[in-house]
Each structure stands twice: as C-alpha cells, then as structure tokens.
Amino acid sequence: MTKRYLPLLGVLTVFAASTMIPQYASAAEANLDCKMHFQTSSWSVIYKHVEGTGLVTCANGASMHVKITAQGVGLTAGKSRIDNGVGTFTDVHTIDDVLGAYAQGEANAGLVKSGSAQVLTKGTVSLALAGSGQGIDLGVSVGKFTISRAR
C-alpha cells in the first residue's frame, strides 16, 4: 500500500520545495544596496521642522527623486542646512521600501559649520544619515522623518 502513495508523495515534495524557493529568493533580495544623496534645511524653536529633497539610487539600477520632511518636538532652537547629506538603507527588498515615516531621535550642536549623523528606523528598514552644512542649532528632539516620492 505504501508503494501506491510514493508518486503522490514525490509530487507533493517537489511542490513544497518549489514554493520555498521564492521565499529564499526574497530573503536574499532584502540586501538590496540603496543610498540617498540629499539636502535639507531646518528651523526649530521647541518645534523642529525639516524640508528637503534627495535622490535614492539602488544597486539594481532603480532610482527615485524623493521629498524629505521631518517634524519633532524637544528642547531645541536654531536654523541650519545640510548640503551634501548621504543616507544608507538596510533591509531593503525594492526601492519602494525606502518610502514612509521613520522614528527619529536627535541631539545636535553646531555653530556656523553644522553636522548631522542619525540612525532612523521604520519596521525592519533602517536608515543611517550623515551630512554637513551650515547653521546654528542646539538641542534634543524626537519626531518623525518622512520620505515620499517627489511630485
């Protein structure tokens, strides 16, 4: 009687194995290398507001112009701009994974020459930001950093 079910068992095994291949492929694709070059300007007096633009490029050739906004609250004051910022994304499957709202915590201090370095997170996707520019800023804030498709 077991010989009778062997062909069926073989077909089920092949089917089960074939359904697992896309899962392994998508896990491997989560390592898509994406970077963002950006510029922002910000002002703050207790409330912090940031606006900017950028270009996200990925190793697979995909690229997208993006709009950057951020809002936060805290003990902060100043005005600054970042001219040559670079962001590196982790755990990205497709370029669309970089879009959305990231949790942000920031501490900064700058006079004339201003700099920024942050690590932001949105679910499993993380974004490490670094940049330099000019301005005056001092404070600590928490908020939301949003990347959206440029219109």
Side-chain angles (χ1 to χ4, degrees):
M1 206 172 242
T2 58
K3 288 183 182 180
R4 184 176 178 191
Y5 293 106
L6 278 177
L8 180 59
L9 181 61
V11 169
L12 289 174
T13 303
V14 169
F15 176 74
S18 68
T19 60
M20 293 173 67
I21 290 170
Q23 292 174 355
Y24 290 119
S26 67
E29 291 171 6
N31 293 326
L32 181 60
D33 182 30
C34 295
K35 294 199 180 303
M36 177 174 67
H37 294 275
F38 66 94
Q39 54 280 334
T40 60
S41 61
S42 67
W43 60 264
S44 63
V45 178
I46 300 176
Y47 173 78
K48 183 166 187 168
H49 179 79
V50 178
E51 287 185 352
T53 59
L55 176 65
V56 176
T57 56
C58 296
N60 66 357
S63 66
M64 175 180 13
H65 288 277
V66 296
K67 178 182 173 186
I68 299 166
T69 58
Q71 297 86 30
V73 294
L75 299 173
T76 179
K79 183 176 181 180
S80 65
R81 73 174 199 264
I82 301 295
D83 298 314
N84 54 352
V86 177
T88 304
F89 295 92
T90 60
D91 204 19
V92 174
H93 295 272
T94 69
I95 195 166
D96 290 330
D97 289 347
V98 306
L99 301 173
Y102 293 76
Q104 178 184 35
E106 182 178 19
N108 51 25
L111 179 62
V112 181
K113 296 285 185 186
S114 185
S116 178
Q118 302 178 55
V119 176
L120 313 172
T121 186
K122 173 188 73 125
T124 59
V125 177
S126 293
L127 170 59
L129 295 175
S132 61
Q134 295 185 352
I136 299 171
D137 51 22
L138 177 65
V140 176
S141 65
V142 294
K144 177 173 73 166
F145 185 95
T146 305
I147 300 173
S148 58
R149 198 176 293 271
R151 306 270 174 217

